[in-house]
């Protein structure tokens, strides 16, 4: 697959770049840091690592854009990450993530 560079950071998809640009356009602070790691348990009881694509510190939430294929493949993992770590993780395609963020930000402003 193709990697993309934005603000001297490597991104795994054009969706990630577009989300980063959208966050910047809204002046939303975000981090992309491989030091942010969560553990989850697979169906065999093995502990696995998960690295979120984005962390929004002011909202204390994580983002993970996924295409339809990856979402279907990773849905169990994402649900386990949320459940076992008690975090807010928004996942889906680029548009779904942006729509979810707009709803969250609208509620924060009210």
């Amino acid at each position: 697959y193709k990697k993309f560079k934005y603000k001297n950071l490597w991104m795994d998809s054009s969706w990630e770049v577009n989300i980063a640009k959208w966050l910047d356009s809204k002046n939303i602070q975000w981090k992309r840091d491989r030091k942010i790691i969560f553990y989850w348990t697979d169906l065999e009881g093995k502990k696995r690592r998960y690295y979120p694509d984005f962390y929004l510190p002011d909202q204390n939430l994580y983002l993970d854009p996924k295409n339809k294929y990856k979402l279907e493949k990773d849905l169990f993992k994402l649900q386990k990450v949320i459940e076992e770590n008690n975090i807010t993780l928004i996942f889906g395609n680029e548009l779904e993530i942006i729509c979810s963020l707009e709803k969250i930000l609208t509620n924060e402003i009210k």
Side-chain angles (χ1 to χ4, degrees):
Y1 67 96
K2 187 175 178 182
K3 289 212 173 241
F4 300 83
K5 201 167 193 179
Y6 177 69
K7 288 190 159 184
N8 274 337
L9 297 170
W10 286 104
M11 308 261 173
D12 296 323
S13 72
S14 59
W15 285 1
E16 290 179 12
V17 173
N18 291 340
I19 288 171
K21 287 179 178 179
W22 184 87
L23 292 167
D24 287 343
S25 77
K26 302 293 183 185
N27 294 317
I28 298 170
Q29 183 183 16
W30 57 273
K31 292 182 181 184
R32 187 170 173 86
D33 189 345
R34 292 287 287 181
K35 293 177 187 169
I36 299 173
I37 183 173
F38 295 103
Y39 294 91
W40 64 283
T41 310
D42 70 14
L43 289 171
E44 297 170 358
K46 186 174 181 182
K47 285 285 184 192
R48 302 277 183 175
R49 283 178 257 180
Y50 169 77
Y51 301 92
D53 291 323
F54 294 94
Y55 174 57
L56 281 52
D58 293 338
Q59 290 76 23
N60 191 30
L61 63 88
Y62 302 87
L63 309 177
D64 194 346
K66 299 251 182 235
N67 64 41
K68 186 178 178 180
Y69 170 77
K70 280 295 284 175
L71 183 58
E72 288 173 9
K73 188 173 177 272
D74 291 350
L75 189 56
F76 176 79
K77 171 179 75 174
L78 295 169
Q79 291 170 336
K80 292 297 281 182
V81 167
I82 292 167
E83 174 188 317
E84 293 180 17
N85 296 280
N86 194 29
I87 63 169
T88 302
L89 171 63
I90 299 173
F91 54 86
N93 67 41
E94 175 187 350
L95 184 58
E96 291 168 334
I97 288 176
I98 289 172
C99 287
S100 294
L101 286 171
E102 285 178 333
K103 287 178 188 173
I104 290 168
L105 295 171
T106 301
N107 285 334
E108 283 182 1
I109 293 169
K110 289 180 181 178

